[in-house]
Structure formats: C-alpha cells, structure tokens
C-alpha cells in the first residue's frame, strides 16, 4: 500500500554546472541518469523529476527517448520504465522550473542544493525529512559534471550535507548520490 | 580523516541470476555498473568489489576496461576512477569468491543476499551494521538482470530487507540499490 504522498520534486541540472576546472559549463543529458534517477524518484514518491537543459537538440532527443518508454515499444517491453519516466519534465532553465513548481504547490518550495564538498551544509537530513513529512514542498537540486555552479547554490534555500562514508573520497555518481539522498529523506525507517 | 576500516566486500553476480520470466540465466557485464558501484564501494570503505561472471570473453573485455582506468590514459584523465576501480576483482563463480574471501579474512564472511521482493528479509540493516562495526566480515551479494537466482539466495547466511520508499514500486537499478544499502550499512549517521 502506498504511503500518503509528500510534496517532493528533484531536479537534475545540466546548466549552469561546473567542470573539472571550476568553469561554468552546460553538460550533456545522459540517458542512464534519466532511467536510474527516474526509477529512484518513482520508488521514493517524487512528484516531478525536472531535467534542466537549455539545449534544444538535447531536449528533442530526450523527448523521443521518453516517448519510447512512456508509450512506444519500450512501454510494452517494460512498463515499469514508463512508470518511472512519466515523472520526467524537461525544462529550459531554473527560473521556469521554480515558477512552475511554485504554481503547482501554491507556494515556493524549499529549494535544497546538493554538493559533494564537505562543509557546505546548512540544513540536515533529519530537518529536511521532518519538514517534508509536515507538508512543506521540497525541491532537491542535483548537478551533473563537477556539480552545481555557485550561482545555483546561492539561489537555494539551503544545502544538504555531502554524503560521506568512511573517508575523504567524495566521487559518487549523481545517480548514486540521488538514490542515497532520496532514501535519507523518504526511505522506510 | 578515514574511519578505521571494516571488513566489507560487495559482489555483483552475473550468473546465476534470473530473467523476467524467472529462468536462470547469465547476464552481460555492464560498464557503468563497475563505475557506479566501484565509486560507491570506495566511498563506503568496501575492501573488494567482486564481479562474478563465468564468461571468458567478458572477463577479458573488462580486464581491458579496468586497465584503462587503473593505469592507462583514464588514470591520467581522472585518477578518482582508478581509485574506485582498483577495488574490482573479476572472478569465475561464487565458490571461488567465497573461498578467496574466507582465506582473506581468516574465517567465512557473513554472506548477505539482497532482493527487491518484500517479505524475504531475515536480517535487518541495524543488525548487519552492528555486526560489521563489531569486526565481523560481511559480503553483500547483488544480482543483475531480475535478481539473484534461488540457489544463490539459499547459500547466503541471510537476506537484507528490500529497499522500500513510499509504495509497491520495487524497480531500482542495482546501482541505486547498492548505493543505498552501502549508505545504510556504513554511511555517517
């Protein structure tokens, strides 16, 4: 049986993000990110999985991929993928996403950035989990490439702690980080 | 600073696993599984990431891929991948892995299977976490395709609970499930 829905969205940002050298870039959309993060989003009760890219050719390409799984041959081969990928909304930029999200929930969501660097956190998982459970809308931002650009971090209401395991290695894939963060916010305890 | 090491290995099993129809098959090794699970393994202090496949052509192909990241061009481009992929050991079968693991730790590890179906669990995350912290060697088995074959489940000492979020959708990728399970066993609390 499904638990009562909470108001949680996730976003995978392809622009603006930083590269290895800290320069602001736009990254390519990766097919597997949509599948893995879509499946995790569906598992943990996410309402919308925003995919942010300004590149029109990539938007068109991935609209076709999504169509394949949502209602094309892929939907007949494995309908669980369609169920996950139906959560995906491709949008041009963060402004559009924030406006759409605010309209959907009737108030601006608590926008939480994620970052692999330690020492950036301003809000813990327990607090975010409690606020979500209390009915507050949450939007968790994930960066591709080497992470969200500073101008995105500045626009967020807060930053969640980096995922740390046993040491200083902080090179999880964004797919793994998103799965862990959704489990920390929404997993069964 | 790194926490004191614990005795944890993970294994990604490509044979015997089951397909959509419950038949026992051997699956193909997927490059991205090695990267994502290797990075998660490195993050969470895993000692060895066993990749179990009996297919010699796949063993040879992935030995080349690993070589690229461990000491070839990939190591110079991004040494964090080499650091993760150095944990990978490709082995023929589960018997060999169990013997090697027992020899390494000086005793047989607690072998824990994972399964997406609810109702299969025989040991909880808290207990596994405590036994690991107390010094017991653990080996966590992950299945590719539609999951570990029944004969693998039977050989495990126990099965960890399925990862549940908010409902009955249980179609996480093995990469996401492994990341979440490692976080539950070893993540900072």
């Amino acid at each position: 049986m499904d638990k009562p829905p909470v108001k949680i969205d996730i976003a995978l940002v392809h622009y603006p993000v930083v590269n290895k050298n800290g320069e602001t870039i736009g990254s390519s959309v990766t097919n597997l990110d949509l599948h893995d993060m879509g499946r995790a989003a569906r598992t943990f009760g996410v309402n919308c999985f925003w995919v942010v890219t300004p590149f029109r050719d990539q938007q068109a390409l991935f609209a076709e991929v999504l169509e394949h799984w949502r209602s094309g041959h892929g939907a007949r081969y494995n309908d669980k993928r369609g169920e996950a990928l139906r959560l995906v909304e491709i949008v041009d930029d963060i402004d559009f996403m924030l406006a759409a999200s605010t309209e959907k929930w009737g108030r601006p969501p608590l926008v939480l950035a994620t970052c692999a660097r330690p020492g950036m956190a301003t809000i813990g998982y327990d607090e975010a989990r409690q606020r979500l459970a209390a009915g507050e809308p949450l939007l968790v931002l994930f960066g591709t490439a080497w992470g969200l650009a500073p101008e995105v971090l500045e626009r967020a209401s807060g930053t969640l702690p980096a995922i740390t395991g046993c040491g200083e290695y902080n090179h999880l894939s964004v797919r793994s980080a998103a799965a862990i963060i959704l489990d920390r916010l929404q997993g069964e305890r």
Side-chain angles (χ1 to χ4, degrees), chain A:
Chain A
M1 216 188 68
D2 284 12
K3 285 202 291 188
V6 292
K7 296 173 180 160
I8 185 167
D9 286 353
I10 61 172
L12 185 62
V13 177
H14 298 81
Y15 176 85
V17 291
V18 293
N19 69 9
K20 232 176 136 160
N21 305 314
E23 297 151 343
T24 294
I25 57 156
S27 68
S28 297
V29 178
T30 300
N31 187 38
L32 201 92
D33 288 351
L34 305 194
H35 282 260
D36 274 18
M37 291 178 65
R39 293 159 76 181
R42 177 66 186 83
T43 301
F44 291 105
V46 165
N47 184 270
C48 180
F49 170 18
W50 304 97
V51 172
V52 183
T53 176
F55 303 121
R56 293 298 154 104
D57 55 342
Q58 303 232 340
Q59 292 183 358
L61 173 64
F62 285 96
E64 269 188 58
V65 171
L66 292 172
E67 171 65 19
H68 168 80
W69 290 103
R70 287 164 168 175
S71 52
H73 177 68
R76 290 184 295 280
Y77 172 69
N78 182 349
D79 64 341
K80 300 301 175 193
R81 294 300 175 94
E83 216 180 303
L85 292 171
R86 268 190 283 278
L87 301 179
V88 175
E89 287 285 342
I90 301 176
V91 290
D92 285 346
D93 56 41
I94 289 177
D95 287 325
F96 180 91
M97 171 178 70
L98 292 179
S101 180
T102 301
E103 194 184 328
K104 173 172 72 171
W105 302 124
R107 60 181 280 196
L110 181 71
V111 181
L112 297 181
T114 56
C115 180
R117 287 192 302 285
M120 303 285 287
T122 59
I123 176 173
Y125 289 99
D126 284 343
E127 184 187 336
R129 189 177 170 103
Q130 282 158 17
R131 289 171 72 163
L132 182 63
E136 193 167 348
L138 236 71
L139 169 57
V140 187
L141 308 180
F142 295 95
T144 52
W146 266 252
L148 296 165
E151 59 263 43
V152 181
L153 294 175
E154 277 164 23
R155 292 189 61 186
S157 330
T159 300
L160 287 167
I163 303 297
T164 49
C166 308
E168 290 173 2
Y169 185 91
N170 61 343
H171 305 280
L172 286 173
S173 73
V174 70
R175 299 170 289 279
S176 296
I180 291 168
I181 288 171
L182 283 171
D183 184 52
R184 289 187 179 191
L185 294 174
Q186 272 278 86
E188 204 157 39
R189 290 284 175 90

